[in-house]
Amino acid sequence: MWNPIEGASRETIEALQLQRLRETVTRVYHLVPFYKAKLDESGIKPRDIDSLEKLALLPFTLKQDLRNHYPFGLFATPMDQIVRIHSSSGTTGKPTVVGYTAHDMDVWGEVMARTLKMGNVGPGDVVHNAYGYGLFTGGLGFHYAAERVGAAVVPSSGGFTKRQLLLMKDFGATVLCCTPSFALHLSEVAREEGYDPKKDFKLRAGFFGAEPASIGLRNAIKEAWGIEYYEAYGLSEIIGPGVAATCPCGHLHVAEDHFLPEIINPDTGEVLPEGEAGELVLTTITKQGLPILRYRTKDISRLHREPCKCGRTLVYIDTIKGRSDDMLIVNGVNVFPSQVEHVLTKVEGVTPNYVIVLEKKGVLDRLEVWVEVDEATMGDGGIGALEGLKKRLENEMLNELYINVKIKLVEPKTLERSMGKAQRILDKRDVEKNK
Ligand code: DLL
């Protein structure tokens, strides 16, 4: 473990959490007019926070609240104490902006060091960091983590796939950090370039996150590179990566001494009993620049407090299968893109590269999945084999999703690759509605 607190007793952790929660509520009450108004409205004073259960009384914070106070309206420190600004890409509307004080940068380095320590990364390791550098928190988050644990970091950022492979090979990268979709893409290009990903590289572990990855995709990455797979979870509004990370047992432990997790019913806002699935809500309890109460992540997960064999006592969460807002509703049935991906990784002959296309046919929705056939199947398939493959996929989709899915097989390497988070959904239904 990087920090003994990761294995501390529940009493120690909870005492620390309560003290820090009270400090945070006091801080935002006095320094952020938005929170003062919200707390006054609900009749809560900072001194009322005398147990962790009181967390449930605090107001939620939504992404829209950050947008409404664009750019710095929710900051709790004057700008001369802010040393770093990041922002979310935000495809619609204004981006959300986050600010860090020197103290926050230290907290971020600490929780990110815990992430890399899960895979025992340290001096002697060469960390190839292919998360995007810039306003996105992935690149710089992993960068400072690698330096903090004493590894050598290669700040390669996204893009330039062939060049990345050259650097990974020549610099002897032992650890890879990037999105799961990019890790798979790198392995495909490595093969095309004549490398054997397992033999020609020294990689032993990878830290993947920023987007969901099905078990099948994880296995494909592990298998292609012959590495251990660690997962990083986080979001810019809370700190960036570093909110949670998988231990060697595969459990996604939350850095609970800095971020308090809750699971709520996304429709009613009620806190759900332990172990039930719902929306993950996070409260920062040590951040100074932009402290956030009960942030609605929209990520669907569950909390677990069972003891973990690795010795960590911090609560762990289910890996995020999807966000409540990227859940597709197809003729009334809920579908997560990760379910589609799961089917693709179970059926031989296709790759986990796909695009989900949604259209309206009359009053009904039609879901089509474009999926790449793999090289071998394309080579020896013939029309008959491809027809069989298409039928098999359509049957599996029906079993898994309970809806009819049309499969369109496309040639290998024809779907666009993303250097960061993959774009997998093309929803044409609204466009058609507005025509
Ligand atoms: O994606 C931070 C990050 C960078 C995490 C690198 C891990 C590694 P945002 O761009 O603000 O921050 O996006 C946050 O991405 O609410 C989830 O929906 C999704 N996400 C992040 N990590 C995972 C993960 C970064 N491990 C949003 N599994 C979050 C599934 C993830 N989804």
Side-chain angles (χ1 to χ4, degrees), residues 329-330 358-360 365 427-433:
I329 303 183
V330 184
L358 280 154
E359 282 171 312
K360 267 264 176 265
D365 299 326
D427 196 340
K428 299 183 180 169
R429 291 177 299 184
D430 283 344
V431 180
E432 283 161 21
K433 223 189 300 166

Side-chain angles (χ1 to χ4, degrees), residues 184-203:
L184 187 72
H185 175 55
L186 271 170
S187 70
E188 289 170 348
V189 177
R191 281 198 210 94
E192 265 167 49
E193 291 295 295
Y195 297 111
D196 176 339
K198 273 190 192 155
K199 290 207 190 111
D200 295 334
F201 295 84
K202 289 195 188 147
L203 282 189

Side-chain angles (χ1 to χ4, degrees), residues 159-216:
F160 307 104
T161 312
K162 290 180 190 167
R163 206 181 137 72
Q164 302 233 13
L165 290 163
L166 182 90
L167 301 183
M168 283 166 68
K169 182 167 185 303
D170 292 349
F171 296 177
T174 54
V175 175
L176 173 64
C177 302
C178 62
T179 57
S181 50
F182 191 59
L184 187 72
H185 175 55
L186 271 170
S187 70
E188 289 170 348
V189 177
R191 281 198 210 94
E192 265 167 49
E193 291 295 295
Y195 297 111
D196 176 339
K198 273 190 192 155
K199 290 207 190 111
D200 295 334
F201 295 84
K202 289 195 188 147
L203 282 189
R204 63 170 182 86
F207 291 81
F208 306 111
E211 63 182 6
S214 63
I215 305 270

Side-chain angles (χ1 to χ4, degrees), residues 236-279:
S236 47
E237 292 83 350
I238 297 303
I239 202 150
V243 173
T246 45
C247 66
C249 314
H251 291 145
L252 199 48
H253 292 278
V254 179
E256 258 190 288
D257 48 328
H258 296 283
F259 319 107
L260 294 185
E262 297 170 276
I263 296 290
I264 63 158
N265 174 330
D267 300 323
T268 64
E270 268 171 76
V271 177
L272 289 174
E274 196 98 353
E276 279 192 29
E279 180 179 344

Side-chain angles (χ1 to χ4, degrees), residues 7 22 48 91 93 160 170 191 242 259 263 281-282 374 389 401 420:
R22 213 185 287 133
D48 298 334
T91 44
F160 307 104
D170 292 349
R191 281 198 210 94
F259 319 107
I263 296 290
V281 168
L282 292 163
D374 67 24
L389 179 59
L401 312 178

